[in-house]
Every structure is written in structure tokens, then in C-alpha cells.
Amino acid sequence: TVTPEPTVAPEPTIAPGPGPEPSGTPQPIVPEPPIVEAVGFAAPGGPPAGPPTREALLAQLEQLRGAEAALSAQREAAAAQRAELAGKLSSTVSQRDQLAAQRVRLQEGRAQLAHAREELDAGRGDLVSARAELQQARLELANAREELRAGRTDLVTTRGQLQELRDAVPSAFSTSKDAYLAEIDARSDRIEHAFQSGLNAGFRDLYILFAITCALTLAALLLVGRGPRPHAEPTTD
């Protein structure tokens, strides 16, 4: 909320009295009723009076002196009141300036508060997004945990099967080995006969190939024969 600016009260005016004003054009002094009665006249156009006595004149002089003292006191009081009002006016102007400065600072604070509120709203949006991402990550983590549990179960099952296979392989291998050796022993005669027959056939083919090669070599040598002899050049004695 904005604090309303204070209104400066108008400087009070001093009511005209019997003495002159503190400032401005002096006003004529109107005699008070006691002074008029003491002097013996009310106005320049009043009824004529007899000559006053000395005692009356002294009394009038004392009354005039008292009236002058009262007017001086009133004048001093008016001057003091004017100075006091001037001080109040200066204090009011100073307070007005302070209130204006406070109003400027208040407006700056409101602008900063609005900016901070915008940043807070942006941070709140980021927080909501982060919370949604956290919920999604938590859900993915729960799914991964379930998959891990299922994989652990499969791993236990596979491990049991491998254990059974490891226990069964040696006996099966030993049984197969014994059966294979027994079958070889049962067919040993046939295996030896087949091996001997193959070996004999191989040597026979080798001998035949060697004989054919030798015959071809001899035939080539017979066909080639010897070449022509060179003629001897005649000698001159």
C-alpha cells in the first residue's frame, strides 16, 4: 500500500489586534474602551469635554503605558508563534521529503518483490518438473528392480540346470567312452582286415605306377638314340 502524502496545513493568520502586524503594513491602533474613558474622548467628532485635571492625565498616561506594554507582549507572542509555525512548516516539509523518499523506496521494493515473485514462480515450475522427472525415475527404478528380481530367478534356475549338467556329463562321458571302446573291440577283426586290404591296395598301386614310369622312361631313351657325330676338318700340310 502507498502511504498518502501529508497535506501541509496553511500558515495561520494572526487576528488583527490593537498592535501592528508582525509583517506587512502596520494597522492603526484603535483605542480600547478603558483608554477612551481615561483620555476623555471616543472619536474626533465626539462631544466636547472639559479640560482634564493633572491626576486624570497621569492616570491616562499610566493606562497608555500599560496598553503599550500589553501590545508589546502581544507582538512578541505573535512573533514567537510565527517562528514556531515556521519551524513546524520546515519540519513538515522535511517529513514530506522523507515520505517521498520512503515512497520511492517502497516502489522499488514492490518492483523487487514482483521480480522475486516471478523468479519464485519460475522456480516453482522447475520444481514441479523435477518432481515429475523424479516420479518417472522412481517408476523406472521399480521396473528395473522387478526385472532384476526376475533375472535373479532365471539365474538361479540356470545355475541349477548347469549344476545338474555338470554332475551328469562325467557319467555320460564315461558311459559313452566305455560303449565306444567296447564297439571297437567287437569290430577289431573287421577293422584290421579293412586296414590291411587298404594298405595292400595302396602298395600295389604304387608299384604299378612306378613300373609304368620306368617303362615310359626306357621307351623315351630308345626313341631318342644318339645324335649325329661332328665331321673332322681336313688338315693342310
Side-chain angles (χ1 to χ4, degrees):
T1 58
V2 181
T3 307
E5 297 183 0
T7 56
V8 181
E11 185 178 356
T13 57
I14 303 173
E21 290 291 331
S23 63
T25 305
Q27 299 293 331
I29 301 174
V30 179
E32 295 181 359
I35 300 176
V36 175
E37 292 178 358
V39 174
F41 62 89
T53 60
R54 182 179 179 181
E55 291 77 4
L57 291 175
L58 292 175
Q60 291 178 2
L61 183 59
E62 292 295 333
Q63 291 179 358
L64 289 175
R65 289 177 179 175
E68 183 180 2
L71 290 175
S72 298
Q74 291 179 0
R75 182 176 181 180
E76 293 176 357
Q81 185 178 6
R82 182 176 181 181
E84 182 180 1
L85 291 176
K88 291 181 178 180
L89 178 61
S90 177
S91 176
T92 304
V93 172
S94 177
Q95 291 179 359
R96 181 179 180 181
D97 295 338
Q98 292 178 0
L99 290 175
Q102 291 178 0
R103 182 178 181 182
V104 172
R105 288 195 297 270
L106 180 61
Q107 291 177 353
E108 292 178 354
R110 290 182 63 185
Q112 294 177 359
L113 181 61
H115 183 66
R117 184 176 296 175
E118 293 177 357
E119 292 181 352
L120 181 61
D121 293 337
R124 185 178 298 173
D126 295 339
L127 182 61
V128 171
S129 300
R131 183 177 296 176
E133 293 178 357
L134 181 61
Q135 293 291 339
Q136 183 66 25
R138 185 177 297 176
L139 181 60
E140 293 177 356
L141 180 61
N143 295 333
R145 185 179 297 173
E146 293 297 331
E147 293 178 357
L148 182 61
R149 290 178 180 175
R152 183 178 297 176
T153 304
D154 296 339
L155 181 61
V156 172
T157 304
T158 306
R159 184 177 180 182
Q161 293 176 357
L162 290 175
Q163 185 70 26
E164 294 177 358
L165 181 61
R166 187 181 64 182
D167 297 338
V169 164
S171 59
F173 182 75
S174 179
T175 304
S176 300
K177 180 181 178 181
D178 295 339
Y180 180 71
L181 293 176
E183 188 175 357
I184 290 175
D185 293 337
R187 297 183 181 183
S188 57
D189 297 336
R190 295 177 59 185
I191 293 173
E192 291 177 358
H193 183 269
F195 179 75
Q196 190 67 35
S197 299
L199 187 61
N200 293 334
F203 279 113
R204 184 186 60 192
D205 294 337
L206 182 61
Y207 291 151
I208 293 173
L209 178 63
F210 184 71
I212 293 173
T213 304
C214 291
L216 291 176
T217 304
L218 291 174
L221 291 174
L222 293 174
L223 291 175
V224 171
R226 295 180 180 181
R229 294 180 180 181
H231 297 284
E233 295 180 0
T235 60
T236 58
D237 295 333

